[in-house]
Amino acid sequence: MVSPAEDRACPGVAQTGRVVTVQFTQLVDAYGRVASDLRVSLTDRCNLRCTYCMPADGLKWLATEETLTDAEVLRVVRIAVESLGVTRIRFTGGEPLLRPGLEGIVAGAATLQGRHGRPELALTTNALGLDKRIDALAAAGLDRVNISLDSLDPVRYARLARRDRLADVLKSIRAVEAAGLRPIKVNSVIMRGQNECDVVALAQFCLERGYELRFIEQMPLGPKGEWDRSLMVTATEILDQLRGRYRLSALEEPRGAAPAELWAVAPDENQPGGRVGVIASVTNPFCGACDRTRITSDGQVRTCLFSQRETDLRTVLRSGGSDDDLVAAWVGAHRGKAKAHGIDEAGFVQPTRTMSAIGG
């Protein structure tokens, strides 16, 4: 249940005895930002060991009983859609394909109707084994997929992921295309001295096939003490490489809360044109327009990837709390959302959880 102290921290929620009555149903923070995009981590486990995400020997995984059950995940998702105005849900990890009940969770989420209708359902994945499950996921209601791919060179891919699985990823990308899910988005983290030479090759690969590529600045979400701001490849450097090969023009369409700055690529004799995006999370963050809320696999609300605070929904779920209790706790968490993550500012402290444990 929500304590009186918690209730006082959540304007707009009135309490009479033990009954909580929610008087507004949006996740609004103190700066007027409204969260309508939910990232749900289904597991902290992963079958890769990417250098920017975790140590070579992996992490200490959560015990199964600490992770939300399928029913608990669906209850949280239902409340988000029906009571809090969430319109987009992305299932993440760790690696969400390691969740046995993934298809059932997607199917359950696909039945939901919020104030703006059915939510868009997406999956962020390393794509290992996706080729074997994409048809079932599409049938369950999955709308699109974001696939991590940091190099097209088997040696560099294996060095970055610490697993020789590039062929499996490419096979899964072809399977997603065959299943008809669009757009296919590809995410690439570019790191100095490791895969800078892959920028143009990745762009060409995606442009030729009509995929939407997003280059991402490396963020401090990996092993503690291993991120060096001075060694990060910036969005400006990535764009300079692209301009050396393509004719780019900034898209005039409003960016809104989208993390990526999008660029139109003019067609030429080697590719039909398209667009690429660059997510400058460090050098040009989009915090001012952020519309995201996150649930970790153990049921904690995180209002930002880099938050030092979490709000526990799992205990509310497992102690007999009502939907109103969950709404009140979630709304209260967002009232305390920080103005910005502050990566590029003095005094920034890396979160104790890594990306795998938080959810992408």
Side-chain angles (χ1 to χ4, degrees), residues 83-106:
S83 299
L84 294 172
V86 163
T87 59
R88 297 182 304 281
I89 299 168
R90 187 183 300 186
F91 297 108
T92 72
E95 175 45 56
L97 290 172
L98 296 180
R99 180 83 179 216
L102 176 60
E103 287 84 355
I105 291 171
V106 171

Side-chain angles (χ1 to χ4, degrees), residues 19-317:
V19 178
V20 176
T21 303
V22 179
Q23 297 176 340
F24 66 88
T25 53
Q26 283 186 309
L27 295 170
V28 185
D29 66 32
Y31 304 95
R33 297 168 297 189
V34 179
S36 58
D37 186 329
L38 171 62
R39 307 298 170 95
V40 182
S41 176
L42 298 178
T43 179
D44 62 331
R45 300 170 189 248
C46 189
N47 42 12
L48 296 182
R49 297 292 182 270
C50 296
T51 57
Y52 54 83
C53 188
M54 65 178 71
D57 56 355
L59 299 166
K60 183 179 180 181
W61 309 126
L62 289 168
T64 300
E65 60 269 19
E66 295 181 60
T67 301
L68 295 185
T69 66
D70 292 1
E72 288 170 337
V73 169
L74 284 171
R75 184 180 176 196
V76 168
V77 168
R78 174 181 58 77
I79 289 169
V81 172
E82 295 179 353
S83 299
L84 294 172
V86 163
T87 59
R88 297 182 304 281
I89 299 168
R90 187 183 300 186
F91 297 108
T92 72
E95 175 45 56
L97 290 172
L98 296 180
R99 180 83 179 216
L102 176 60
E103 287 84 355
I105 291 171
V106 171
T111 67
L112 299 174
Q113 291 288 324
R115 66 189 69 174
H116 301 294
R118 174 193 179 281
E120 177 189 81
L121 303 177
L123 182 74
T124 293
T125 173
N126 63 27
L128 300 187
L130 180 59
D131 57 304
K132 300 176 181 65
R133 299 174 70 178
I134 188 60
D135 289 338
L137 286 166
L142 188 68
D143 295 304
R144 63 179 183 84
V145 177
N146 285 39
I147 295 174
S148 298
L149 179 63
D150 299 321
S151 179
L152 291 164
D153 178 84
V155 174
R156 283 194 294 277
Y157 180 92
R159 184 171 64 239
L160 290 166
R162 299 192 179 101
R163 300 289 188 273
D164 184 10
R165 302 297 299 274
L166 176 61
D168 297 307
V169 176
L170 297 178
K171 182 179 180 182
S172 286
I173 292 176
R174 293 191 295 269
V176 174
E177 185 169 11
L181 272 65
R182 296 289 188 279
I184 297 173
K185 294 188 177 182
V186 175
N187 298 334
S188 300
V189 178
I190 302 301
M191 292 155 287
R192 196 176 307 285
Q194 298 189 56
N195 64 338
E196 293 159 288
C197 57
D198 285 293
V199 168
V200 171
L202 285 163
Q204 187 71 19
F205 173 81
C206 291
L207 288 166
E208 288 175 356
R209 294 161 177 80
Y211 307 156
E212 295 194 7
L213 177 60
R214 301 290 185 268
F215 291 109
I216 305 172
E217 290 182 337
Q218 184 187 4
M219 296 177 285
L221 287 168
K224 195 76 171 178
E226 293 191 12
W227 184 79
D228 186 337
R229 169 67 173 81
S230 67
L231 297 179
M232 184 192 72
V233 179
T234 67
T236 297
E237 292 174 278
I238 292 169
L239 287 169
D240 285 346
Q241 277 207 54
L242 293 173
R243 289 192 180 101
R245 169 61 180 81
Y246 305 108
R247 183 157 53 89
L248 304 184
S249 58
L251 291 178
E252 296 181 359
E253 61 189 52
R255 178 177 173 180
E261 183 177 11
L262 298 179
W263 297 81
V265 181
D268 57 37
E269 64 276 12
N270 296 311
Q271 52 83 30
R275 58 186 191 177
V276 298
V278 181
I279 301 177
S281 300
V282 178
T283 61
N284 188 25
F286 59 98
C287 299
C290 182
D291 67 346
R292 297 181 182 182
T293 184
R294 299 173 183 274
I295 300 293
T296 64
S297 59
D298 56 347
Q300 309 300 305
V301 173
R302 291 183 69 93
T303 59
C304 173
L305 267 175
F306 300 94
S307 178
Q308 298 294 331
R309 300 171 54 190
E310 296 181 341
T311 298
D312 183 8
L313 296 189
R314 185 183 63 190
T315 296
V316 181
L317 284 163

Side-chain angles (χ1 to χ4, degrees), residues 2 204 272 288 301 331 337:
V2 177
Q204 187 71 19
V301 173
V331 169
K337 182 181 175 79

